[in-house]
Coordinates of all heavy atoms in Angstrom, one line a residue:
D1 N -6.2 24.0 -1.9 CA -6.6 24.2 -0.5 C -7.0 22.9 0.0 O -6.8 22.6 1.2 CB -7.7 25.2 -0.5 CG -7.3 26.6 -0.7 OD1 -6.0 26.9 -0.6 OD2 -8.1 27.5 -1.0
S2 N -7.7 22.0 -0.8 CA -8.1 20.7 -0.3 C -7.0 19.8 0.0 O -7.2 18.8 0.7 CB -9.1 20.1 -1.3 OG -8.3 19.9 -2.6
A3 N -5.8 20.1 -0.5 CA -4.7 19.2 -0.3 C -3.7 19.7 0.7 O -2.9 18.9 1.3 CB -3.9 19.0 -1.6
K4 N -3.7 21.0 1.0 CA -2.7 21.6 1.9 C -2.8 20.9 3.3 O -3.9 20.7 3.9 CB -3.0 23.1 2.1 CG -2.6 23.8 0.8 CD -2.9 25.3 1.0 CE -2.5 26.1 -0.3 NZ -2.8 27.5 -0.2
G5 N -1.6 20.6 3.8 CA -1.5 19.9 5.1 C -1.7 18.4 5.1 O -1.4 17.8 6.1
R6 N -2.1 17.9 4.0 CA -2.4 16.5 3.8 C -1.5 15.8 2.7 O -1.0 14.7 2.9 CB -3.8 16.2 3.6 CG -4.8 16.6 4.7 CD -6.2 16.1 4.5 NE -6.8 16.5 3.2 CZ -7.3 15.7 2.4 NH1 -7.4 14.4 2.6 NH2 -7.8 16.1 1.2
F7 N -1.4 16.5 1.6 CA -0.7 16.0 0.4 C 0.6 16.7 0.2 O 0.6 17.9 0.3 CB -1.6 16.1 -0.8 CG -2.9 15.3 -0.8 CD1 -3.2 14.5 0.2 CD2 -3.7 15.4 -1.9 CE1 -4.4 13.8 0.2 CE2 -4.9 14.7 -2.0 CZ -5.2 13.9 -0.9
T8 N 1.6 16.0 -0.2 CA 2.9 16.6 -0.4 C 3.5 16.0 -1.7 O 3.6 14.8 -1.8 CB 3.9 16.3 0.8 OG1 3.3 16.8 2.0 CG2 5.2 17.0 0.5
A9 N 3.9 16.9 -2.6 CA 4.6 16.5 -3.8 C 6.1 16.5 -3.6 O 6.6 17.5 -2.9 CB 4.2 17.4 -5.0
S10 N 6.8 15.5 -4.1 CA 8.3 15.5 -4.0 C 8.8 14.9 -5.2 O 8.1 14.4 -6.1 CB 8.7 14.7 -2.7 OG 8.3 13.4 -2.8
R11 N 10.1 14.9 -5.4 CA 10.7 14.4 -6.6 C 12.0 13.7 -6.3 O 12.7 14.0 -5.3 CB 11.0 15.5 -7.6 CG 12.2 16.4 -7.2 CD 12.1 17.8 -8.0 NE 13.4 18.5 -7.8 CZ 13.8 19.1 -6.7 NH1 13.0 19.1 -5.6 NH2 14.9 19.7 -6.6
D12 N 12.4 12.8 -7.2 CA 13.7 12.1 -7.1 C 14.3 12.2 -8.5 O 13.9 11.5 -9.5 CB 13.5 10.6 -6.7 CG 14.8 9.9 -6.6 OD1 15.8 10.3 -7.2 OD2 14.8 8.9 -5.9
N13 N 15.1 13.2 -8.7 CA 15.6 13.5 -10.0 C 16.5 12.3 -10.6 O 16.4 12.1 -11.8 CB 16.5 14.7 -10.0 CG 15.7 16.0 -9.8 OD1 14.5 16.0 -9.9 ND2 16.3 17.1 -9.5
A14 N 17.1 11.6 -9.7 CA 18.0 10.5 -10.2 C 17.1 9.4 -10.8 O 17.5 8.7 -11.8 CB 18.8 9.9 -9.0
R15 N 15.9 9.3 -10.3 CA 15.0 8.2 -10.8 C 14.0 8.8 -11.8 O 13.1 8.1 -12.3 CB 14.2 7.6 -9.7 CG 15.1 6.7 -8.8 CD 14.2 5.9 -7.8 NE 15.0 4.8 -7.1 CZ 15.7 5.0 -6.1 NH1 15.9 6.2 -5.6 NH2 16.4 3.9 -5.6
N16 N 14.0 10.1 -12.1 CA 13.1 10.8 -13.0 C 11.7 10.5 -12.5 O 10.8 10.2 -13.3 CB 13.3 10.3 -14.4 CG 13.6 11.5 -15.3 OD1 14.1 12.5 -14.9 ND2 13.5 11.3 -16.6
T17 N 11.4 10.6 -11.2 CA 10.1 10.2 -10.7 C 9.7 11.3 -9.7 O 10.5 11.9 -9.0 CB 10.3 8.9 -9.9 OG1 10.7 7.9 -10.8 CG2 8.9 8.5 -9.3
V18 N 8.4 11.6 -9.8 CA 7.7 12.5 -8.9 C 6.7 11.7 -8.0 O 6.1 10.8 -8.5 CB 7.0 13.6 -9.7 CG1 6.1 14.4 -8.8 CG2 8.1 14.5 -10.3
Y19 N 6.6 12.1 -6.8 CA 5.7 11.4 -5.9 C 4.6 12.4 -5.4 O 4.8 13.6 -5.3 CB 6.5 10.9 -4.7 CG 7.6 10.0 -5.1 CD1 8.9 10.4 -5.2 CD2 7.4 8.6 -5.4 CE1 10.0 9.6 -5.5 CE2 8.4 7.8 -5.8 CZ 9.7 8.3 -5.8 OH 10.7 7.5 -6.2
L20 N 3.5 11.8 -5.0 CA 2.5 12.5 -4.2 C 2.1 11.7 -3.0 O 1.5 10.6 -3.1 CB 1.2 12.7 -5.1 CG 0.1 13.5 -4.4 CD1 0.5 15.0 -4.2 CD2 -1.2 13.5 -5.2
Q21 N 2.6 12.2 -1.9 CA 2.3 11.5 -0.6 C 0.9 12.0 -0.1 O 0.8 13.3 0.1 CB 3.4 11.8 0.4 CG 3.1 11.2 1.8 CD 3.1 9.7 1.8 OE1 4.0 9.1 1.2 NE2 2.2 9.1 2.5
M22 N 0.0 11.1 0.1 CA -1.3 11.5 0.5 C -1.6 10.9 1.9 O -1.6 9.7 2.1 CB -2.4 11.1 -0.5 CG -2.1 11.6 -1.9 SD -3.4 11.2 -3.1 CE -3.4 9.4 -3.0
N23 N -1.8 11.8 2.9 CA -2.1 11.4 4.2 C -3.5 11.8 4.6 O -4.1 12.7 4.0 CB -1.1 12.0 5.2 CG 0.3 11.5 4.9 OD1 0.5 10.4 4.5 ND2 1.3 12.4 5.2
S24 N -4.0 11.3 5.7 CA -5.4 11.6 6.2 C -6.4 11.6 5.1 O -7.2 12.6 5.0 CB -5.3 13.0 6.9 OG -4.3 13.0 8.0
L25 N -6.4 10.6 4.4 CA -7.3 10.5 3.2 C -8.8 10.5 3.6 O -9.1 10.0 4.7 CB -7.0 9.3 2.4 CG -5.7 9.5 1.5 CD1 -5.2 8.1 1.0 CD2 -6.1 10.4 0.3
K26 N -9.6 11.1 2.8 CA -11.0 11.2 3.1 C -11.8 10.6 1.9 O -11.3 10.5 0.8 CB -11.4 12.7 3.2 CG -10.7 13.5 4.2 CD -11.0 15.0 4.1 CE -10.2 15.8 5.1 NZ -10.5 17.3 5.0
P27 N -13.0 10.2 2.1 CA -13.8 9.6 1.0 C -13.9 10.6 -0.2 O -13.9 10.1 -1.3 CB -15.2 9.4 1.7 CG -14.9 9.1 3.1 CD -13.7 10.0 3.4

């Protein structure tokens, strides 16, 4: 719940890499 609307997980299978995009970061 603390991440919804701000953080997004995605993946790049070709690179065997997963990402976490974090926006509107808070202290």
Side-chain angles (χ1 to χ4, degrees):
D1 288 343
S2 60
K4 287 179 181 177
R6 300 189 301 128
F7 295 1
T8 303
S10 62
R11 74 197 192 285
D12 183 337
N13 290 347
R15 289 186 168 85
N16 241 19
T17 300
V18 168
Y19 304 98
L20 182 67
Q21 178 67 42
M22 303 187 297
N23 299 326
S24 302
L25 283 161
K26 305 174 182 179

